[in-house]
Amino acid sequence: MTINFFTTPWNYFTVTDFLNKEELLYIRKELDDLASYEEYYKEEGLRLNYPINLSNRKGIWNIVTPKFIELCNKVDNIDEKKEHITAEVSIIKPGFNYAIHNDRFTKTFSFVLHISENGHGTRLYENVEGTGTQSTMEWIPGGGGGFIRQEHHYHSFDTLEDTSLRYTLLLTKRIIEDQQYQARTFPDLKLLI
């Protein structure tokens, strides 16, 4: 795992070789399977989000979680008493656009793992209006990009330039805050770390 750090428009990093070739192909196949059941998980028309945990996709969870913990400890750290890890598949059709935003304060560390061969990374902005300095993270199949959340970390993502499905895994470190929300969204919360 190689980590590169950047400072414009604000601090973020990219990672190469997060997954090896076999792991990447395995996860792509799993996401192809999920995409085939899309009618059961429709969200926002063009986007399918699917939480990953030990009970529903143990193979993916067991591949990415130890690597994400390693990444967190290289870039930041994890306090297992106050934080937990979540993983969520995102399958997005061409034509999707998510507005410029900042993450909720409970999401303290985010890493988008690029699974599909083609796409473009998260778009980063100096401010919520999208004016000023901008950057787009490099698309790195089997790797990806991320950041430690700060108040000024405005970002967005889209598939406006894409011609095929975009597969990613969003791996996050979160403050344990709302147990009822976590239990609904991530039923295996007690198993997440």
Side-chain angles (χ1 to χ4, degrees), residues 1 8 38-39 46 59 69 78 100 116 143 145 149 166 192:
M1 179 183 318
T8 304
E38 174 187 354
E39 64 273 14
L46 299 174
I69 290 170
I78 294 179
I100 298 172
S116 53
R149 184 200 178 276
R166 173 185 156 172
L192 294 183

Side-chain angles (χ1 to χ4, degrees), residues 36-63:
S36 70
Y37 294 101
E38 174 187 354
E39 64 273 14
Y40 298 110
Y41 300 105
K42 283 191 178 178
E43 181 182 314
E44 301 177 35
L46 299 174
R47 179 179 173 204
L48 159 67
N49 282 357
Y50 182 84
I52 296 294
N53 53 52
L54 285 171
S55 66
N56 66 7
R57 295 288 167 167
K58 184 177 182 178
I60 295 174
W61 179 260
N62 287 338
I63 291 169

